[in-house]
Amino acid sequence: QQKVQQSPESLSVPEGGMASLNCTSSDRNFQYFWWYRQHSGEGPKALMSIFSDGDKKEGRFTAHLNKASLHVSLHIRDSQPSDSALYFCAVSENSNNRIFFGDGTQLVVKP
Amino acid sequence: AQTIHQWPVAEIKAVGSPLSLGCTIKGKSSPNLYWYWQATGGTLQQLFYSITVGQVESVVQLNLSASRPKDDQFILSTEKLLLSHSGFYLCALQGENTLYFGAGTRLSVL
C-alpha cells in the first residue's frame, strides 16, 4: 500500500515563477517528511526534511507541514531551469526508520 | 563526509545472463545500506536493506539477491536476467536523518 501520494504528476512553470508541489501521507504513523530531488541520470539528493508543523525555508525552497492533515507542500520561488527535475516526497515513522517514497512530480522550468 | 561509489556506471546485458552490481561506502562505519530500483522516470522501489555484515533483508521479490560481504560493501546480483530487470539501480546509505544515494547503475537488458 502506498504510504504517500504526490500531486501533480507533472508541472511546468516559467523561469522566475513559483512551483508548488504537494504530498500527503496515508498513514498517521508516518509524520516525518523529506523532499528529494533527482536530476536526469543522477541519484536523488535530499533537499530538505521537515518534522514539525509550520514552514521551513532554505533559500528559494519552502516546505510547509500540516500534521493534522498529514500534508506537506514544497514551494520553489524564482524557479530556474536548473530546478527541472523529478521531485520525490518521502515519509517515515521517525527520522531514522525505513523511508517510503512517493511516485514523484516531474517539474519543468521553461526559460 | 561519506561517499558512495557504485559500479559499473552502466551495463548492457542479454536476457538470461548473470549480473553483479556493487556499492562501496567510505567515511561511515557500520552503515545501514539499501538497494533501490527505478524504472525510467519512475518511483523508487526499495529492494533490499542491510544493517550489518552478512545480514540482508529482502523487501520485494524481483528474482534478485543481495549480499553484504564487508562492512563497506553491498552487492546486488542475479544468475539470470529478465527483461523486466532493466532500469536504474541505486545504492543508498542511512545518514543522520536522511538517505544518501549513489550515482546509480543504468542497466539495459536486451
Side-chain angles (χ1 to χ4, degrees):
Chain A
Q1 183 188 354
Q2 191 84 344
K3 296 284 187 195
V4 57
Q5 287 78 42
Q6 287 187 244
S7 65
E9 286 186 13
S10 62
L11 178 63
S12 179
V13 299
E15 183 174 358
M18 172 78 81
S20 296
L21 291 68
N22 298 292
C23 171
T24 302
S25 171
S26 57
D27 188 329
R28 193 150 290 280
N29 293 316
F30 290 77
Q31 297 192 7
Y32 287 74
F33 289 87
W34 291 259
W35 285 101
Y36 283 77
R37 180 167 76 177
Q38 184 181 27
H39 286 108
S40 182
E42 299 178 5
K45 289 185 173 63
L47 266 180
M48 57 198 306
S49 59
I50 183 165
F51 303 152
S52 302
D53 270 319
D55 291 340
K56 184 175 182 180
K57 186 177 177 183
E58 292 186 5
R60 296 184 292 109
F61 298 84
T62 300
H64 175 80
L65 173 59
N66 180 326
K67 280 199 171 186
S69 60
L70 298 178
H71 180 263
V72 65
S73 55
L74 179 69
H75 304 279
I76 308 172
R77 65 171 175 81
D78 188 25
S79 296
Q80 301 298 307
S82 57
D83 293 328
S84 296
L86 187 55
Y87 288 77
F88 289 106
C89 175
V91 297
S92 182
E93 289 178 286
N94 66 43
S95 61
N96 286 305
N97 262 21
R98 182 182 169 190
I99 293 176
F100 294 84
F101 288 87
D103 289 340
T105 292
Q106 184 69 54
L107 172 65
V108 174
V109 180
K110 296 186 174 178
Chain B
Q2 56 260 20
T3 60
I4 304 170
H5 173 60
Q6 284 193 243
W7 77 93
V9 172
E11 279 267 44
I12 300 176
K13 302 279 279 187
V15 170
S17 62
L19 173 78
S20 182
L21 305 181
C23 170
T24 299
I25 309 298
K26 290 192 189 308
K28 186 171 176 67
S29 61
S30 303
N32 289 354
L33 298 176
Y34 303 83
W35 278 112
Y36 283 83
W37 174 81
Q38 184 183 32
T40 301
T43 195
L44 297 159
Q45 173 67 64
Q46 192 179 102
L47 301 176
F48 299 95
Y49 70 92
S50 171
I51 61 173
T52 191
V53 174
Q55 186 178 337
V56 176
E57 299 294 328
S58 172
V59 176
V60 78
Q61 291 294 330
L62 283 180
N63 292 307
L64 295 167
S65 61
S67 64
R68 180 94 174 257
K70 299 182 193 176
D71 186 55
D72 62 352
Q73 202 172 74
F74 204 17
I75 307 295
L76 184 70
S77 60
T78 183
E79 292 188 2
K80 271 191 174 182
L81 279 165
L82 307 172
L83 283 174
S84 58
H85 286 137
S86 292
F88 198 39
Y89 288 85
L90 291 151
C91 179
L93 155 73
Q94 180 77 55
E96 191 68 33
N97 297 333
T98 196
L99 274 182
Y100 297 95
F101 286 86
T105 295
R106 174 75 58 192
L107 174 66
S108 297
V109 182
L110 306 174

